[in-house]
mmCIF file of all heavy atoms in Angstrom:
data_model
loop_
_atom_site.group_PDB
_atom_site.id
_atom_site.type_symbol
_atom_site.label_atom_id
_atom_site.label_comp_id
_atom_site.label_asym_id
_atom_site.label_seq_id
_atom_site.Cartn_x
_atom_site.Cartn_y
_atom_site.Cartn_z
ATOM 1 N N THR A 1320 -32.588 86.254 19.913
ATOM 2 C CA THR A 1320 -33.051 86.427 21.293
ATOM 3 C C THR A 1320 -33.557 87.869 21.526
ATOM 4 O O THR A 1320 -32.941 88.810 21.080
ATOM 5 C CB THR A 1320 -31.921 86.117 22.302
ATOM 6 O OG1 THR A 1320 -31.639 84.734 22.252
ATOM 7 C CG2 THR A 1320 -32.296 86.513 23.698
ATOM 8 N N SER A 1321 -34.706 87.994 22.227
ATOM 9 C CA SER A 1321 -35.225 89.319 22.592
ATOM 10 C C SER A 1321 -36.151 89.144 23.769
ATOM 11 O O SER A 1321 -36.669 88.049 24.018
ATOM 12 C CB SER A 1321 -35.975 89.970 21.424
ATOM 13 O OG SER A 1321 -37.081 89.160 21.061
ATOM 14 N N GLY A 1322 -36.342 90.208 24.548
ATOM 15 C CA GLY A 1322 -37.269 90.128 25.685
ATOM 16 C C GLY A 1322 -37.106 91.278 26.630
ATOM 17 O O GLY A 1322 -36.358 92.230 26.376
ATOM 18 N N PHE A 1323 -37.839 91.202 27.739
ATOM 19 C CA PHE A 1323 -37.733 92.256 28.752
ATOM 20 C C PHE A 1323 -37.982 91.669 30.130
ATOM 21 O O PHE A 1323 -38.659 90.641 30.286
ATOM 22 C CB PHE A 1323 -38.731 93.400 28.473
ATOM 23 C CG PHE A 1323 -40.162 93.031 28.734
ATOM 24 C CD1 PHE A 1323 -40.737 93.201 29.989
ATOM 25 C CD2 PHE A 1323 -40.952 92.490 27.742
ATOM 26 C CE1 PHE A 1323 -42.035 92.882 30.254
ATOM 27 C CE2 PHE A 1323 -42.271 92.136 27.965
ATOM 28 C CZ PHE A 1323 -42.827 92.326 29.235
ATOM 29 N N ASP A 1324 -37.442 92.343 31.157
ATOM 30 C CA ASP A 1324 -37.758 92.079 32.565
ATOM 31 C C ASP A 1324 -38.355 93.350 33.152
ATOM 32 O O ASP A 1324 -37.969 94.467 32.773
ATOM 33 C CB ASP A 1324 -36.483 91.770 33.382
ATOM 34 C CG ASP A 1324 -35.737 90.551 32.862
ATOM 35 O OD1 ASP A 1324 -36.397 89.677 32.224
ATOM 36 O OD2 ASP A 1324 -34.508 90.496 33.063
ATOM 37 N N LEU A 1325 -39.274 93.184 34.082
ATOM 38 C CA LEU A 1325 -39.855 94.324 34.788
ATOM 39 C C LEU A 1325 -40.054 93.934 36.238
ATOM 40 O O LEU A 1325 -40.833 93.019 36.545
ATOM 41 C CB LEU A 1325 -41.172 94.780 34.156
ATOM 42 C CG LEU A 1325 -41.844 95.980 34.845
ATOM 43 C CD1 LEU A 1325 -40.954 97.216 34.748
ATOM 44 C CD2 LEU A 1325 -43.213 96.244 34.202
ATOM 45 N N ASP A 1326 -39.331 94.607 37.150
ATOM 46 C CA ASP A 1326 -39.461 94.351 38.562
ATOM 47 C C ASP A 1326 -39.890 95.629 39.271
ATOM 48 O O ASP A 1326 -39.483 96.719 38.895
ATOM 49 C CB ASP A 1326 -38.129 93.890 39.151
ATOM 50 C CG ASP A 1326 -37.697 92.532 38.599
ATOM 51 O OD1 ASP A 1326 -38.395 91.543 38.952
ATOM 52 O OD2 ASP A 1326 -36.682 92.461 37.892
ATOM 53 N N ALA A 1327 -40.717 95.458 40.323
ATOM 54 C CA ALA A 1327 -41.175 96.620 41.105
ATOM 55 C C ALA A 1327 -41.393 96.169 42.539
ATOM 56 O O ALA A 1327 -41.763 95.021 42.810
ATOM 57 C CB ALA A 1327 -42.463 97.184 40.533
ATOM 58 N N HIS A 1328 -41.235 97.105 43.461
ATOM 59 C CA HIS A 1328 -41.507 96.860 44.889
ATOM 60 C C HIS A 1328 -41.895 98.146 45.581
ATOM 61 O O HIS A 1328 -41.508 99.254 45.130
ATOM 62 C CB HIS A 1328 -40.342 96.182 45.597
ATOM 63 C CG HIS A 1328 -39.103 97.041 45.694
ATOM 64 N ND1 HIS A 1328 -38.158 97.096 44.690
ATOM 65 C CD2 HIS A 1328 -38.707 97.899 46.667
ATOM 66 C CE1 HIS A 1328 -37.213 97.950 45.044
ATOM 67 N NE2 HIS A 1328 -37.512 98.455 46.211
ATOM 68 N N THR A 1329 -42.639 98.018 46.689
ATOM 69 C CA THR A 1329 -43.088 99.188 47.417
ATOM 70 C C THR A 1329 -43.206 98.872 48.888
ATOM 71 O O THR A 1329 -43.563 97.715 49.242
ATOM 72 C CB THR A 1329 -44.431 99.717 46.852
ATOM 73 O OG1 THR A 1329 -44.777 100.934 47.509
ATOM 74 C CG2 THR A 1329 -45.526 98.714 47.070
ATOM 75 N N PRO A 1330 -42.897 99.816 49.754
ATOM 76 C CA PRO A 1330 -43.076 99.566 51.183
ATOM 77 C C PRO A 1330 -44.535 99.662 51.613
ATOM 78 O O PRO A 1330 -45.341 100.401 50.989
ATOM 79 C CB PRO A 1330 -42.264 100.660 51.852
ATOM 80 C CG PRO A 1330 -42.229 101.757 50.827
ATOM 81 C CD PRO A 1330 -42.289 101.121 49.479
ATOM 82 N N VAL A 1331 -44.920 98.962 52.652
ATOM 83 C CA VAL A 1331 -46.255 99.038 53.237
ATOM 84 C C VAL A 1331 -46.086 99.005 54.767
ATOM 85 O O VAL A 1331 -44.990 98.628 55.263
ATOM 86 C CB VAL A 1331 -47.192 97.920 52.774
ATOM 87 C CG1 VAL A 1331 -47.477 98.029 51.263
ATOM 88 C CG2 VAL A 1331 -46.606 96.567 53.054
ATOM 89 N N ALA A 1332 -47.156 99.321 55.496
ATOM 90 C CA ALA A 1332 -47.139 99.264 56.963
ATOM 91 C C ALA A 1332 -46.005 100.116 57.546
ATOM 92 O O ALA A 1332 -45.187 99.650 58.328
ATOM 93 C CB ALA A 1332 -47.061 97.842 57.465
ATOM 94 N N ASP A 1333 -45.948 101.393 57.042
ATOM 95 C CA ASP A 1333 -44.922 102.331 57.558
ATOM 96 C C ASP A 1333 -43.492 101.830 57.360
ATOM 97 O O ASP A 1333 -42.596 102.101 58.146
ATOM 98 C CB ASP A 1333 -45.158 102.619 59.034
ATOM 99 C CG ASP A 1333 -46.456 103.347 59.314
ATOM 100 O OD1 ASP A 1333 -46.866 104.143 58.412
ATOM 101 O OD2 ASP A 1333 -47.087 103.108 60.330
ATOM 102 N N GLY A 1334 -43.307 101.080 56.285
ATOM 103 C CA GLY A 1334 -41.945 100.610 55.968
ATOM 104 C C GLY A 1334 -41.522 99.362 56.673
ATOM 105 O O GLY A 1334 -40.436 98.832 56.394
ATOM 106 N N HIS A 1335 -42.348 98.808 57.573
ATOM 107 C CA HIS A 1335 -42.005 97.541 58.237
ATOM 108 C C HIS A 1335 -42.162 96.336 57.303
ATOM 109 O O HIS A 1335 -41.593 95.284 57.548
ATOM 110 C CB HIS A 1335 -42.836 97.328 59.492
ATOM 111 C CG HIS A 1335 -42.605 98.365 60.552
ATOM 112 N ND1 HIS A 1335 -41.415 98.458 61.257
ATOM 113 C CD2 HIS A 1335 -43.362 99.406 61.016
ATOM 114 C CE1 HIS A 1335 -41.463 99.451 62.112
ATOM 115 N NE2 HIS A 1335 -42.662 100.058 61.993
ATOM 116 N N CYS A 1336 -42.989 96.509 56.269
ATOM 117 C CA CYS A 1336 -43.234 95.438 55.328
ATOM 118 C C CYS A 1336 -43.002 95.966 53.916
ATOM 119 O O CYS A 1336 -42.964 97.155 53.671
ATOM 120 C CB CYS A 1336 -44.657 94.881 55.438
ATOM 121 S SG CYS A 1336 -45.083 94.247 57.084
ATOM 122 N N GLY A 1337 -42.870 95.033 52.987
ATOM 123 C CA GLY A 1337 -42.730 95.387 51.575
ATOM 124 C C GLY A 1337 -43.285 94.307 50.694
ATOM 125 O O GLY A 1337 -43.292 93.106 51.073
ATOM 126 N N VAL A 1338 -43.785 94.675 49.559
ATOM 127 C CA VAL A 1338 -44.273 93.701 48.550
ATOM 128 C C VAL A 1338 -43.594 94.018 47.239
ATOM 129 O O VAL A 1338 -43.316 95.200 46.880
ATOM 130 C CB VAL A 1338 -45.813 93.754 48.393
ATOM 131 C CG1 VAL A 1338 -46.500 93.278 49.679
ATOM 132 C CG2 VAL A 1338 -46.289 95.162 48.046
ATOM 133 N N GLY A 1339 -43.303 92.967 46.459
ATOM 134 C CA GLY A 1339 -42.681 93.159 45.174
ATOM 135 C C GLY A 1339 -43.151 92.139 44.195
ATOM 136 O O GLY A 1339 -43.717 91.068 44.583
ATOM 137 N N ALA A 1340 -43.002 92.425 42.931
ATOM 138 C CA ALA A 1340 -43.416 91.494 41.860
ATOM 139 C C ALA A 1340 -42.579 91.760 40.633
ATOM 140 O O ALA A 1340 -41.950 92.811 40.486
ATOM 141 C CB ALA A 1340 -44.923 91.684 41.546
ATOM 142 N N GLY A 1341 -42.541 90.776 39.741
ATOM 143 C CA GLY A 1341 -41.778 90.918 38.513
ATOM 144 C C GLY A 1341 -42.309 90.011 37.442
ATOM 145 O O GLY A 1341 -43.024 89.038 37.702
ATOM 146 N N ILE A 1342 -41.963 90.353 36.202
ATOM 147 C CA ILE A 1342 -42.371 89.551 35.037
ATOM 148 C C ILE A 1342 -41.255 89.553 34.006
ATOM 149 O O ILE A 1342 -40.561 90.553 33.822
ATOM 150 C CB ILE A 1342 -43.692 90.049 34.424
ATOM 151 C CG1 ILE A 1342 -44.122 89.177 33.249
ATOM 152 C CG2 ILE A 1342 -43.553 91.507 33.957
ATOM 153 C CD1 ILE A 1342 -45.474 89.499 32.687
ATOM 154 N N THR A 1343 -41.037 88.422 33.355
ATOM 155 C CA THR A 1343 -40.134 88.302 32.228
ATOM 156 C C THR A 1343 -40.898 87.700 31.045
ATOM 157 O O THR A 1343 -41.672 86.766 31.194
ATOM 158 C CB THR A 1343 -38.982 87.339 32.561
ATOM 159 O OG1 THR A 1343 -38.096 87.930 33.527
ATOM 160 C CG2 THR A 1343 -38.145 87.009 31.318
ATOM 161 N N ARG A 1344 -40.687 88.320 29.891
ATOM 162 C CA ARG A 1344 -41.188 87.741 28.614
ATOM 163 C C ARG A 1344 -39.977 87.703 27.706
ATOM 164 O O ARG A 1344 -39.374 88.718 27.406
ATOM 165 C CB ARG A 1344 -42.283 88.624 28.025
ATOM 166 C CG ARG A 1344 -43.507 88.734 28.890
ATOM 167 C CD ARG A 1344 -44.474 87.599 28.681
ATOM 168 N NE ARG A 1344 -45.185 87.717 27.409
ATOM 169 C CZ ARG A 1344 -46.073 86.821 26.947
ATOM 170 N NH1 ARG A 1344 -46.295 85.742 27.677
ATOM 171 N NH2 ARG A 1344 -46.695 87.013 25.820
ATOM 172 N N ARG A 1345 -39.645 86.486 27.294
ATOM 173 C CA ARG A 1345 -38.342 86.330 26.591
ATOM 174 C C ARG A 1345 -38.449 85.294 25.497
ATOM 175 O O ARG A 1345 -38.983 84.179 25.727
ATOM 176 C CB ARG A 1345 -37.263 85.924 27.586
ATOM 177 C CG ARG A 1345 -35.896 85.721 27.033
ATOM 178 C CD ARG A 1345 -34.897 85.583 28.138
ATOM 179 N NE ARG A 1345 -33.524 85.330 27.651
ATOM 180 C CZ ARG A 1345 -32.441 85.819 28.187
ATOM 181 N NH1 ARG A 1345 -32.503 86.598 29.214
ATOM 182 N NH2 ARG A 1345 -31.250 85.506 27.714
ATOM 183 N N TRP A 1346 -37.928 85.622 24.347
ATOM 184 C CA TRP A 1346 -37.773 84.678 23.214
ATOM 185 C C TRP A 1346 -36.291 84.408 23.074
ATOM 186 O O TRP A 1346 -35.507 85.290 22.748
ATOM 187 C CB TRP A 1346 -38.352 85.246 21.946
ATOM 188 C CG TRP A 1346 -38.106 84.354 20.743
ATOM 189 C CD1 TRP A 1346 -37.153 84.510 19.780
ATOM 190 C CD2 TRP A 1346 -38.837 83.180 20.381
ATOM 191 N NE1 TRP A 1346 -37.222 83.493 18.864
ATOM 192 C CE2 TRP A 1346 -38.249 82.656 19.200
ATOM 193 C CE3 TRP A 1346 -39.941 82.493 20.930
ATOM 194 C CZ2 TRP A 1346 -38.712 81.508 18.555
ATOM 195 C CZ3 TRP A 1346 -40.373 81.365 20.307
ATOM 196 C CH2 TRP A 1346 -39.793 80.870 19.141
ATOM 197 N N ASP A 1347 -35.884 83.154 23.299
ATOM 198 C CA ASP A 1347 -34.475 82.774 23.220
ATOM 199 C C ASP A 1347 -34.215 81.969 21.954
ATOM 200 O O ASP A 1347 -34.986 81.117 21.550
ATOM 201 C CB ASP A 1347 -34.066 81.909 24.423
ATOM 202 C CG ASP A 1347 -33.817 82.755 25.682
ATOM 203 O OD1 ASP A 1347 -33.016 83.690 25.585
ATOM 204 O OD2 ASP A 1347 -34.434 82.437 26.718
ATOM 205 N N GLU A 1348 -33.093 82.309 21.360
ATOM 206 C CA GLU A 1348 -32.565 81.485 20.236
ATOM 207 C C GLU A 1348 -31.113 81.141 20.668
ATOM 208 O O GLU A 1348 -30.216 81.916 20.458
ATOM 209 C CB GLU A 1348 -32.609 82.208 18.931
ATOM 210 C CG GLU A 1348 -32.231 81.263 17.763
ATOM 211 C CD GLU A 1348 -32.530 81.914 16.404
ATOM 212 O OE1 GLU A 1348 -32.857 83.126 16.358
ATOM 213 O OE2 GLU A 1348 -32.436 81.197 15.371
ATOM 214 N N PHE A 1349 -30.933 79.957 21.276
ATOM 215 C CA PHE A 1349 -29.660 79.583 21.854
ATOM 216 C C PHE A 1349 -28.614 79.272 20.764
ATOM 217 O O PHE A 1349 -27.407 79.467 20.933
ATOM 218 C CB PHE A 1349 -29.804 78.380 22.739
ATOM 219 C CG PHE A 1349 -30.830 78.589 23.857
ATOM 220 C CD1 PHE A 1349 -32.048 77.946 23.817
ATOM 221 C CD2 PHE A 1349 -30.554 79.444 24.889
ATOM 222 C CE1 PHE A 1349 -32.984 78.151 24.797
ATOM 223 C CE2 PHE A 1349 -31.479 79.641 25.882
ATOM 224 C CZ PHE A 1349 -32.712 79.009 25.851
ATOM 225 N N ALA A 1350 -29.077 78.772 19.647
ATOM 226 C CA ALA A 1350 -28.289 78.550 18.434
ATOM 227 C C ALA A 1350 -29.270 78.732 17.293
ATOM 228 O O ALA A 1350 -30.476 78.772 17.501
ATOM 229 C CB ALA A 1350 -27.680 77.129 18.442
ATOM 230 N N PRO A 1351 -28.800 78.858 16.034
ATOM 231 C CA PRO A 1351 -29.723 79.049 14.916
ATOM 232 C C PRO A 1351 -30.841 78.003 14.921
ATOM 233 O O PRO A 1351 -30.587 76.808 14.927
ATOM 234 C CB PRO A 1351 -28.834 78.939 13.698
ATOM 235 C CG PRO A 1351 -27.510 79.389 14.187
ATOM 236 C CD PRO A 1351 -27.374 78.886 15.602
ATOM 237 N N ALA A 1352 -32.094 78.474 15.004
ATOM 238 C CA ALA A 1352 -33.294 77.635 14.961
ATOM 239 C C ALA A 1352 -33.476 76.793 16.201
ATOM 240 O O ALA A 1352 -34.369 75.919 16.237
ATOM 241 C CB ALA A 1352 -33.326 76.740 13.701
ATOM 242 N N VAL A 1353 -32.699 76.997 17.262
ATOM 243 C CA VAL A 1353 -32.910 76.304 18.529
ATOM 244 C C VAL A 1353 -33.527 77.324 19.478
ATOM 245 O O VAL A 1353 -32.812 78.177 20.024
ATOM 246 C CB VAL A 1353 -31.559 75.764 19.086
ATOM 247 C CG1 VAL A 1353 -31.763 75.050 20.412
ATOM 248 C CG2 VAL A 1353 -30.908 74.835 18.098
ATOM 249 N N THR A 1354 -34.831 77.262 19.652
ATOM 250 C CA THR A 1354 -35.564 78.345 20.244
ATOM 251 C C THR A 1354 -36.384 77.911 21.467
ATOM 252 O O THR A 1354 -36.623 76.720 21.709
ATOM 253 C CB THR A 1354 -36.533 78.988 19.218
ATOM 254 O OG1 THR A 1354 -37.425 77.943 18.726
ATOM 255 C CG2 THR A 1354 -35.778 79.576 18.056
ATOM 256 N N GLN A 1355 -36.862 78.935 22.226
ATOM 257 C CA GLN A 1355 -37.670 78.695 23.393
ATOM 258 C C GLN A 1355 -38.315 80.027 23.813
ATOM 259 O O GLN A 1355 -37.659 81.046 23.788
ATOM 260 C CB GLN A 1355 -36.858 78.154 24.537
ATOM 261 C CG GLN A 1355 -37.589 78.050 25.898
ATOM 262 C CD GLN A 1355 -36.702 77.493 26.979
ATOM 263 O OE1 GLN A 1355 -36.247 76.375 26.928
ATOM 264 N NE2 GLN A 1355 -36.432 78.322 27.977
ATOM 265 N N PHE A 1356 -39.611 79.975 24.163
ATOM 266 C CA PHE A 1356 -40.312 81.169 24.671
ATOM 267 C C PHE A 1356 -40.563 80.989 26.150
ATOM 268 O O PHE A 1356 -41.049 79.951 26.578
ATOM 269 C CB PHE A 1356 -41.621 81.335 23.927
ATOM 270 C CG PHE A 1356 -42.310 82.654 24.237
ATOM 271 C CD1 PHE A 1356 -41.843 83.815 23.689
ATOM 272 C CD2 PHE A 1356 -43.386 82.686 25.112
ATOM 273 C CE1 PHE A 1356 -42.477 85.036 23.976
ATOM 274 C CE2 PHE A 1356 -44.013 83.888 25.414
ATOM 275 C CZ PHE A 1356 -43.558 85.061 24.830
ATOM 276 N N THR A 1357 -40.189 82.003 26.962
ATOM 277 C CA THR A 1357 -40.256 81.911 28.425
ATOM 278 C C THR A 1357 -41.100 83.050 28.976
ATOM 279 O O THR A 1357 -40.919 84.237 28.606
ATOM 280 C CB THR A 1357 -38.858 81.981 29.043
ATOM 281 O OG1 THR A 1357 -38.056 80.912 28.535
ATOM 282 C CG2 THR A 1357 -38.926 81.890 30.572
ATOM 283 N N THR A 1358 -42.015 82.711 29.872
ATOM 284 C CA THR A 1358 -42.746 83.685 30.660
ATOM 285 C C THR A 1358 -42.474 83.371 32.142
ATOM 286 O O THR A 1358 -42.720 82.238 32.601
ATOM 287 C CB THR A 1358 -44.239 83.608 30.404
ATOM 288 O OG1 THR A 1358 -44.482 83.840 29.016
ATOM 289 C CG2 THR A 1358 -44.994 84.654 31.227
ATOM 290 N N ASP A 1359 -41.991 84.345 32.862
ATOM 291 C CA ASP A 1359 -41.562 84.150 34.253
ATOM 292 C C ASP A 1359 -42.211 85.246 35.090
ATOM 293 O O ASP A 1359 -42.047 86.421 34.836
ATOM 294 C CB ASP A 1359 -40.018 84.269 34.323
ATOM 295 C CG ASP A 1359 -39.461 83.899 35.689
ATOM 296 O OD1 ASP A 1359 -40.252 83.857 36.649
ATOM 297 O OD2 ASP A 1359 -38.236 83.669 35.790
ATOM 298 N N VAL A 1360 -43.003 84.823 36.111
ATOM 299 C CA VAL A 1360 -43.645 85.785 36.998
ATOM 300 C C VAL A 1360 -43.329 85.402 38.427
ATOM 301 O O VAL A 1360 -43.139 84.223 38.753
ATOM 302 C CB VAL A 1360 -45.178 85.851 36.791
ATOM 303 C CG1 VAL A 1360 -45.488 86.357 35.393
ATOM 304 C CG2 VAL A 1360 -45.792 84.498 37.036
ATOM 305 N N GLY A 1361 -43.240 86.399 39.319
ATOM 306 C CA GLY A 1361 -42.973 86.151 40.701
ATOM 307 C C GLY A 1361 -43.501 87.253 41.577
ATOM 308 O O GLY A 1361 -43.634 88.413 41.149
ATOM 309 N N ALA A 1362 -43.843 86.886 42.812
ATOM 310 C CA ALA A 1362 -44.311 87.859 43.792
ATOM 311 C C ALA A 1362 -43.767 87.479 45.156
ATOM 312 O O ALA A 1362 -43.635 86.325 45.481
ATOM 313 C CB ALA A 1362 -45.837 87.925 43.827
ATOM 314 N N ILE A 1363 -43.387 88.494 45.925
ATOM 315 C CA ILE A 1363 -42.775 88.239 47.235
ATOM 316 C C ILE A 1363 -43.193 89.346 48.221
ATOM 317 O O ILE A 1363 -43.387 90.502 47.836
ATOM 318 C CB ILE A 1363 -41.220 88.209 47.099
ATOM 319 C CG1 ILE A 1363 -40.582 87.750 48.422
ATOM 320 C CG2 ILE A 1363 -40.676 89.566 46.677
ATOM 321 C CD1 ILE A 1363 -39.134 87.375 48.251
ATOM 322 N N GLY A 1364 -43.428 88.922 49.440
ATOM 323 C CA GLY A 1364 -43.756 89.857 50.501
ATOM 324 C C GLY A 1364 -42.948 89.579 51.742
ATOM 325 O O GLY A 1364 -42.645 88.403 52.052
ATOM 326 N N GLU A 1365 -42.506 90.607 52.442
ATOM 327 C CA GLU A 1365 -41.647 90.451 53.631
ATOM 328 C C GLU A 1365 -42.041 91.475 54.672
ATOM 329 O O GLU A 1365 -42.290 92.633 54.360
ATOM 330 C CB GLU A 1365 -40.183 90.614 53.246
ATOM 331 C CG GLU A 1365 -39.223 90.423 54.399
ATOM 332 C CD GLU A 1365 -37.775 90.551 53.983
ATOM 333 O OE1 GLU A 1365 -37.493 90.682 52.781
ATOM 334 O OE2 GLU A 1365 -36.902 90.574 54.893
ATOM 335 N N CYS A 1366 -42.115 91.012 55.927
ATOM 336 C CA CYS A 1366 -42.343 91.887 57.059
ATOM 337 C C CYS A 1366 -41.198 91.702 58.066
ATOM 338 O O CYS A 1366 -40.848 90.584 58.423
ATOM 339 C CB CYS A 1366 -43.683 91.568 57.743
ATOM 340 S SG CYS A 1366 -45.116 92.201 56.844
ATOM 341 N N ARG A 1367 -40.654 92.822 58.496
ATOM 342 C CA ARG A 1367 -39.561 92.821 59.467
ATOM 343 C C ARG A 1367 -40.113 93.211 60.814
ATOM 344 O O ARG A 1367 -40.499 94.338 61.060
ATOM 345 C CB ARG A 1367 -38.490 93.815 59.012
ATOM 346 C CG ARG A 1367 -37.257 93.896 59.916
ATOM 347 C CD ARG A 1367 -36.412 92.656 59.844
ATOM 348 N NE ARG A 1367 -35.892 92.380 58.510
ATOM 349 C CZ ARG A 1367 -35.077 91.374 58.250
ATOM 350 N NH1 ARG A 1367 -34.708 90.547 59.242
ATOM 351 N NH2 ARG A 1367 -34.662 91.139 57.018
#
C-alpha cells in the first residue's frame, strides 16, 4: 500500500465564504496480491 492525500481551502468574500478541494491517489494491497487503485477528488464551497 502507498499513496497520498492533499487537501486545501481558502476564504473568499472577506471570509464570509470558503472554497476547498482535495485529491487522493492510492494503491492498496489489502492482502498479498489483493490490490486496488483509487483516485478520489472532491470540491466544496460554503457561504455563511
Side-chain angles (χ1 to χ4, degrees):
T1320 292
S1321 61
F1323 72 89
D1324 301 333
L1325 180 61
D1326 293 294
H1328 65 273
T1329 184
V1331 295
D1333 295 327
H1335 296 291
C1336 302
V1338 293
I1342 182 173
T1343 290
R1344 297 275 285 178
R1345 179 170 178 143
W1346 174 261
D1347 280 307
E1348 189 169 9
F1349 304 109
V1353 180
T1354 58
Q1355 172 180 297
F1356 187 76
T1357 301
T1358 301
D1359 188 344
V1360 295
I1363 189 167
E1365 181 178 353
C1366 284
R1367 181 69 61 177

